[in-house]
Amino acid sequence: MIHIEHLTSVVRVYAQGMSFEAGDEPKAVATLARTDTAEVEIMAAMGRLGRADMRAIARELAADGVRTLVIKRRTGHGVPLGVLRKVHGPFSYYEVPLGDLQ
């Protein structure tokens, strides 16, 4: 018996009316790394992620059993609803319970 665990994913966010299937350029891209069965870290984000985008990501992740997001930001940049977890080098890590984003 084997078990394969998918630990890393890419999320692409598209503007209204655009899609991956149509080959459109996303407005934002980020890497999702599962750090625990109920926790995902969002890192290496590029582009503009708004609150509605974060809520949509939260809904998708919650449906997959995720309860907490950890968001890595350059120190000095906050995260709405985020609680500072740690600072490591030039980065701050914020924890956001998914229930707060939905």
Side-chain angles (χ1 to χ4, degrees):
M1 176 181 184
I2 65 167
H3 172 78
I4 298 174
E5 199 168 2
H6 299 279
L7 301 174
T8 305
S9 303
V10 174
V11 61
R12 293 175 183 89
V13 179
Y14 293 89
Q16 188 71 28
M18 298 188 151
S19 69
F20 177 79
E21 294 77 17
D24 295 319
E25 192 73 26
K27 68 178 188 174
V29 177
T31 300
L32 304 177
R34 192 175 282 265
T35 56
D36 189 276
T37 57
E39 182 179 280
V40 167
E41 181 178 333
I42 296 180
M43 62 181 95
M46 298 293 290
R48 307 282 289 169
L49 284 173
R51 288 178 192 241
D53 301 320
M54 290 302 294
R55 284 187 191 98
I57 292 168
R59 280 191 299 274
E60 292 293 322
L61 291 173
D64 196 31
V66 176
R67 299 290 167 249
T68 304
L69 288 178
V70 176
I71 301 172
K72 179 181 176 181
R73 299 284 317 264
R74 180 165 286 286
T75 297
H77 296 272
V79 173
L81 303 174
V83 175
L84 183 64
R85 178 187 265 189
K86 71 177 180 178
V87 175
H88 181 54
F91 299 104
S92 296
Y93 294 78
Y94 293 89
E95 186 173 298
V96 181
L98 286 187
D100 292 349
L101 285 176
Q102 297 182 40

